[in-house]
Amino acid sequence: MPYSRMTLSKFIIEDQRRSADPRPDLTSLLNDIQTACKLIAVAASRGALYNSPVATEVNAQGERQKLLDVVANDIMIKTVEWGGQLAGMVSEELEAPYDIPDTYPRGRYLLLFDPLDGSSNIDVNMPVGTIFSVLRCPEGIDRPAADDFLQPGTAQVAAGFAIYGPTAMMVITLGAGVHGFTLDPQIGAFTLTHPNMAIPHASREFAVNVSNERFWEPPVARYVEECIKGAGGPRGADFNMRWIASMVADIYRILIRGGLFMYPRDTKDPTRLGRLRLLYEANPMAMIVEQAGGAASTGRERILEVTPTGIHQRVPVILGSRDEVERLVTYHREHDQGIDPSFDTPLFNVRSLFRAT
């Protein structure tokens, strides 16, 4: 019966009751976040029917905003700022940290979020989502500056994401496993449908934007080439490639059936070490993936141990099934040590999926 189901609100409360250090303010914050995600899900579901006077512009990342980017950002801020749990926020859409208005009480947590991941998919009706990370505000700080948000991923108190697809879902970790909740429109609540999500250690799927292959480093080119060679190649197995261009959708697929997601370092823009933002994309997803039994690396360093240098810092991202991530880490190490094996790369010597004859 619907009234006997485990809702996200009930799950968070029971988790805090079991904790040796219960944090009712964290419970309240997470409940406000799920409310914001419900509101964003409604806005996303209306697509071109959604009408808002909000103006769009180029955001802090130099990217052209979609209408729903701005709407989602405003929904998240307005839904969580008033509750008294937060000292400050960082958003992909804002250049500087958001200061909690003086009209509201201040709390001891910091919220970092990407209000609408995969927004380039909006016009083609593909899944989009929201990613968030929760940190503790440093002691003695009432008005956090940018430097107060520069904490490694290991310091995260909670992390999660929502995905707005055929069904709206939230996936969350409080540091002890990963759990998935589906929004039940009949009762308006996220309901536990995927407890204790676990990523298989091995997989035969990978997700990467192959249009960037000419910019990849040799370890990544080597890995993808081996996968494409299939059963007749060095891996001795056929692989499938998936690429949705929405991190929430690609990571959700990995949580369900395993695989590898890559946005590796490349030479397309020499001023950037990576594409994805560390604090509100890579770190929360790395925490989720590790809590589900997977691994997350830049190729050379565990993502959760990267020292942040800026609130919009970008890093390479390789995460998913542990065996596949570790293989790519090994390839990076061998490359850096100058012991790359020679391998035939018809895929990467010319821009074609087929060998020239």
Side-chain angles (χ1 to χ4, degrees), residues 85-284:
Q85 305 91 21
L86 289 174
M89 289 182 266
V90 159
S91 167
E92 179 186 1
E93 302 303 326
L94 302 176
E95 183 175 358
Y98 181 82
D99 192 34
I100 302 298
D102 290 334
T103 51
Y104 301 130
R106 294 173 182 271
R108 302 309 312 155
Y109 290 104
L110 303 174
L111 177 64
L112 307 92
F113 62 96
D114 178 353
L116 200 70
D117 173 71
S119 58
S120 62
N121 285 331
I122 293 173
D123 294 339
V124 292
N125 202 24
M126 295 287 282
V128 293
T130 301
I131 309 172
F132 67 89
S133 169
V134 180
L135 298 168
R136 290 185 178 88
C137 185
E139 289 294 328
I141 301 296
D142 291 324
R143 293 183 178 275
D147 287 350
D148 297 312
F149 291 84
L150 303 184
Q151 303 178 36
T154 52
Q156 292 176 108
V157 175
F161 67 86
I163 181 170
Y164 316 121
T167 58
M169 294 193 65
M170 282 193 73
V171 174
I172 190 170
T173 180
L174 301 176
V178 177
H179 308 278
F181 299 80
T182 301
L183 182 60
D184 185 344
Q186 290 185 326
I187 61 174
F190 283 106
T191 303
L192 182 63
T193 51
H194 296 71
N196 300 307
M197 302 179 83
I199 298 173
H201 283 196
S203 175
R204 294 293 177 262
E205 284 189 353
F206 65 98
V208 66
N209 185 354
V210 175
S211 69
N212 290 327
E213 53 86 3
R214 66 192 184 279
F215 303 110
W216 290 341
E217 292 185 292
V220 175
R222 172 186 174 187
Y223 177 86
V224 175
E225 174 69 10
E226 289 179 352
C227 293
I228 289 175
K229 285 185 173 180
R235 299 297 302 275
D238 292 324
F239 284 72
N240 291 322
M241 189 183 77
R242 301 287 186 262
W243 181 251
I244 304 176
S246 174
M247 192 181 189
V248 293
D250 281 313
I251 299 306
Y252 181 74
R253 184 186 63 251
I254 287 171
L255 287 167
I256 294 296
R257 65 190 193 196
L260 187 75
F261 171 87
M262 288 188 286
Y263 223 127
R265 182 176 182 176
D266 59 40
T267 60
K268 188 174 184 178
D269 184 346
T271 65
R272 292 179 177 176
L273 294 179
R275 168 74 176 184
L276 300 179
R277 273 63 59 138
L278 173 63
L279 292 180
Y280 45 82
E281 292 176 330
N283 272 345

